[in-house]
Amino acid sequence: MKRGFKNSRFFNTYTLHFQSPKLTQIMKALSILGSLLLSLSFSNLAIAQWRVIALKSDTKIYADGKLLKKGAQIKPSTQLKFAQEKSYVRVYQKRNPLFTIAPGTSKKLEGKAADLLLNRKKFFSRGEIKLIEPFYTLAEARDLLSGDLSLIFIDKAQLFFNKNVFQNYDQPEAFFLLYTHQGKKAVKKLSYQRTDDQITLPLDKNIYAGISDLNTISQNALFFKTNKTRKPTLLSRMKTVVVVKPDKKFKKEMAELIKILDREYTEKAIKKRAKTQNSSLRFMIDRADEYKLYDIIHFFLDYYDSMPERNSVKFWLIKNFPKLQVPGKQN
């Protein structure tokens, strides 16, 4: 499985769409601020030590020839060696973003820690922040569902479509999942719920008719049908639907991560990190909850080696960490 982050279609799905000159100016200012923060972060990281807050537990990672453990301190110059491609180390330094060190797309199993940092971009919700973020276009749905990385849902699998996704068609009257199992094609009709502006498509864990080994399933495709079409229309090719239920170990590590994020994304901490006061700083402070969410999403990605579906992450966080301010959550 490829671990592509810079070109991950998931991130393209959640880019900002500004339409007014004022918002465009804000975005430019934010871009400049982001570059400043990144340069400040890496200049500080170059002279400081990083604390290991998490690492993949089922593989061995060595730092300067010694087995690396959680809580250890490493430097940018530390020589790391990974036993497997699907390994990672999460590091933290006060007043700096959290970083992941991993072989990544380069597939380099060893090198200096600073050379193995993954560069992951953060993109934000469009305009008003809402709890449920549906697909708004057919192209957007296809980008995420057929992306390079496997897609996982946390606890429960649901897809949300704004009515505009189907604006060039009559509204769907039925949805179908087509897949291949051991060389045989199967079709599953899916239930759905409709409101005035949204369609919710639950993906029950039994959609594969009780097949336990999901690795034997291939060629998934999602179709919809209207009353005026004889044949179903392809909505998207998609990855096998995988629903994960985080265990106690994962929840414990997530709790530790959230404590760090709560400290690092206070208004005071953001000001110290930026070391400047301008119009875009207010935007950054207002979007602190989304910065936290992206660090959490990256943690899911590292842990499961798959891209978590954003809405399911939000619902899981609200259920398991009710004090956390999730973007779009009403107090």
Side-chain angles (χ1 to χ4, degrees):
M1 184 184 299
K2 296 181 179 179
R3 292 177 62 90
F5 302 102
K6 290 183 180 179
N7 298 321
S8 170
R9 295 176 182 175
F10 171 86
F11 295 116
N12 291 336
T13 300
Y14 290 99
T15 52
L16 278 164
H17 294 275
F18 291 120
Q19 297 179 348
S20 70
K22 183 178 180 181
L23 287 176
T24 301
Q25 291 175 359
I26 292 176
M27 187 55 191
K28 288 181 179 179
L30 181 60
S31 177
I32 295 171
L33 177 60
S35 299
L36 173 63
L37 288 174
L38 193 61
S39 63
L40 286 171
S41 298
F42 278 95
S43 62
N44 289 337
L45 290 174
I47 59 175
Q49 287 193 329
W50 305 336
R51 179 164 63 88
V52 176
I53 61 171
L55 44 78
K56 193 169 179 64
S57 59
D58 58 352
T59 186
K60 293 182 178 180
I61 304 168
Y62 296 90
D64 290 334
K66 297 181 180 180
L67 188 65
L68 187 62
K69 296 182 179 180
K70 182 178 176 180
Q73 299 276 343
I74 63 173
K75 299 178 180 179
S77 59
T78 297
Q79 192 73 17
L80 294 179
K81 183 176 181 180
F82 295 90
Q84 299 176 7
E85 285 183 21
K86 296 178 181 179
S87 300
Y88 65 85
V89 179
R90 293 276 280 172
V91 295
Y92 162 70
Q93 181 197 346
K94 190 175 181 180
R95 289 197 295 274
N96 280 286
L98 279 70
F99 292 97
T100 297
I101 303 172
T105 54
S106 67
K107 297 184 180 180
K108 290 175 60 178
L109 294 180
E110 56 183 295
K112 290 182 179 179
D115 295 335
L116 296 174
L117 285 173
L118 296 182
N119 179 21
R120 290 172 172 170
K121 298 180 180 179
K122 292 180 173 67
F123 296 95
F124 300 94
S125 304
R126 307 168 187 80
E128 181 186 357
I129 302 173
K130 296 182 179 180
L131 180 60
I132 296 177
E133 299 177 73
F135 297 120
Y136 282 90
T137 67
L138 192 58
E140 189 179 60
R142 287 172 175 169
D143 273 347
L144 175 57
L145 296 177
S146 60
D148 295 331
L149 294 172
S150 293
L151 182 68
I152 61 170
F153 296 84
I154 319 303
D155 277 352
K156 185 178 182 180
Q158 299 178 94
L159 293 175
F160 302 94
F161 301 92
N162 184 274
K163 64 179 181 180
N164 291 331
V165 170
F166 308 100
Q167 62 183 351
N168 294 327
Y169 305 87
D170 292 317
Q171 286 299 305
E173 296 297 331
F175 288 87
F176 302 90
L177 179 68
L178 174 68
Y179 63 91
T180 301
H181 177 242
Q182 296 180 342
K184 296 181 179 180
K185 290 185 177 180
V187 178
K188 176 78 173 182
K189 187 175 182 180
L190 305 174
S191 62
Y192 69 96
Q193 292 93 45
R194 186 201 303 273
T195 62
D196 290 340
D197 59 357
Q198 183 172 288
I199 291 176
T200 302
L201 190 63
L203 300 176
D204 187 87
K205 64 180 180 180
N206 296 318
I207 59 173
Y208 295 115
I211 298 171
S212 57
D213 186 0
L214 299 183
N215 291 321
T216 62
I217 297 173
S218 62
Q219 298 179 342
N220 281 271
L222 191 61
F223 291 83
F224 66 92
K225 188 178 183 303
T226 71
N227 285 333
K228 296 183 179 181
T229 55
R230 288 186 176 182
K231 296 182 179 180
T233 301
L234 176 66
L235 195 158
S236 178
R237 305 287 179 187
M238 64 184 294
K239 300 290 186 182
T240 302
V241 176
V242 180
V243 180
V244 299
K245 294 187 177 295
D247 55 19
K248 291 182 179 179
K249 178 179 179 295
F250 180 90
K251 291 179 181 178
K252 182 179 179 181
E253 292 192 4
M254 180 61 72
E256 294 172 357
L257 172 62
I258 289 174
K259 286 181 180 179
I260 293 173
L261 295 176
D262 284 342
R263 290 198 303 267
E264 293 306 312
Y265 285 104
T266 62
E267 183 170 342
K268 183 178 180 180
I270 292 173
K271 286 181 178 179
K272 284 185 177 180
R273 188 183 302 162
K275 294 183 179 179
T276 185
Q277 180 75 47
N278 57 35
S279 59
S280 60
L281 180 60
R282 183 72 258 166
F283 181 93
M284 185 178 179
I285 292 172
D286 291 342
R287 297 279 173 154
D289 293 335
E290 289 200 80
Y291 278 92
K292 290 182 186 179
L293 179 62
Y294 268 100
D295 276 322
I296 289 170
I297 285 175
H298 291 159
F299 184 77
F300 271 101
L301 192 156
D302 290 333
Y303 195 89
Y304 290 104
D305 194 38
S306 299
M307 182 58 68
E309 195 275 330
R310 182 179 171 106
N311 290 304
S312 68
V313 171
K314 286 184 172 184
F315 297 144
W316 182 83
L317 289 171
I318 290 172
K319 178 182 177 181
N320 291 275
F321 298 93
K323 293 183 179 180
L324 179 68
Q325 185 55 49
V326 175
K329 174 186 173 183
Q330 298 297 320
N331 292 324

